[in-house]
Amino acid sequence: MNEAHINSLLRDIPTSVDYTELPEDIDPEDIPPERIKGVIDLLTHEDDYIVFQAARLLTSWGIEEGFDALKKLLVENELQGMIQLRLYGYDETYKHVLYAFISYWANQSDAGKGEQARKAIFEPVSIIIKASNTQHFQIKGLFRLVSKKGFVEYIPLLKEHLQIIMKNPEDNYWRIHDVIKLFLNVDSNFVLQILKENDKKLSDFGF
């Protein structure tokens, strides 16, 4: 498979699609079956970056083969450094992988398999949350599922996350702000407790 065809599979937006410029946001019904098959074939490519991009794209589309491949890469710690944030130089791979798993759940849910997908994404999303405790990427894309969709299984992990990043407020100001905003809606007493323990107040984080 030549480079032009690979790029087309991974990046093209169908001419009929006018609601997004991102291939991962294309609705499943707008993706030709032959393209899905072509991207699945890329999961065995010799280039690790192409395999990653194919797995991430398929996962975003709600395709199980992509989900299985992306989860395997995550569990085996094979994803470090795939997407670097140029401005600050830190690794943003897990932020984009998290988005893919959330999209996987959304598309599976639209197909009537929401509960099954919710259980399936728990392990990989938990790995990402734990990684964010010591790295700088954002995980706020998950927070809507917790506050609006009732994904309460992540609350213990997110409480631990806030406890850890609160210890380094200078480097985590906006991430702390985002988690506090979530917990003000979910468990405001926990917010007050953490602030008190760290001798902080809401106004220290933009509230």
Side-chain angles (χ1 to χ4, degrees):
M1 194 181 297
N2 63 45
E3 184 176 348
H5 185 47
I6 291 172
N7 285 335
S8 176
L9 288 170
L10 294 176
R11 296 183 174 88
D12 277 3
I13 305 296
T15 55
S16 60
V17 169
D18 59 5
Y19 52 81
T20 184
E21 295 182 352
L22 300 174
E24 60 265 33
D25 288 342
I26 301 172
D27 292 338
E29 60 267 23
D30 293 325
I31 308 165
E34 60 270 19
R35 180 175 182 182
I36 293 175
K37 181 182 182 305
V39 180
I40 290 174
D41 289 343
L42 292 178
L43 294 175
T44 56
H45 198 279
E46 60 185 17
D47 187 320
D48 291 343
Y49 184 70
I50 290 174
V51 173
F52 161 65
Q53 292 285 38
R56 184 169 70 96
L57 189 58
L58 289 165
T59 302
S60 298
W61 291 344
I63 307 298
E64 289 186 28
E65 290 92 336
F67 173 84
D68 291 340
L70 191 60
K71 179 182 174 182
K72 184 173 186 290
L73 290 170
L74 178 67
V75 169
E76 295 179 357
N77 199 26
E78 298 289 337
L79 295 176
Q80 298 297 322
M82 289 292 185
I83 303 175
Q84 294 288 133
L85 183 66
R86 294 178 184 174
L87 183 60
Y88 298 108
Y90 61 79
D91 191 352
E92 275 211 318
T93 307
Y94 280 8
K95 172 185 173 181
H96 294 275
V97 171
L98 175 61
Y99 181 89
F101 286 131
I102 293 170
S103 294
Y104 176 81
W105 168 78
N107 281 312
Q108 286 280 309
S109 183
D110 288 344
K113 302 176 183 178
E115 281 306 305
Q116 180 180 338
R118 177 175 174 173
K119 293 175 183 177
I121 70 170
F122 180 75
E123 181 186 357
V125 170
S126 296
I127 291 172
I128 292 171
I129 294 171
K130 290 175 183 178
S132 74
N133 293 340
T134 55
Q135 299 181 40
H136 292 291
F137 62 88
Q138 293 277 357
I139 60 170
K140 65 180 180 180
L142 174 66
F143 298 166
R144 183 176 178 275
L145 294 188
V146 177
S147 63
K148 302 296 185 184
K149 300 294 183 179
F151 280 39
V152 296
E153 59 267 35
Y154 295 107
I155 288 177
L157 288 167
L158 292 172
K159 284 185 174 181
E160 180 185 46
H161 174 67
L162 181 58
Q163 287 173 317
I164 291 171
I165 64 175
M166 184 68 82
K167 302 298 182 185
N168 192 5
E170 293 78 15
D171 290 340
N172 293 298
Y173 177 88
W174 284 112
R175 298 203 307 153
I176 292 170
H177 171 92
D178 292 335
V179 187
I180 286 178
K181 184 176 180 180
L182 166 67
F183 276 112
L184 286 174
N185 291 322
V186 174
D187 187 346
S188 58
N189 288 333
F190 175 72
V191 173
L192 298 177
Q193 172 194 330
I194 293 300
L195 290 171
K196 183 177 180 181
E197 288 175 2
N198 289 273
D199 195 26
K200 299 291 184 183
K201 49 188 181 295
L202 282 173
S203 59
D204 291 329
F205 300 102
F207 293 94

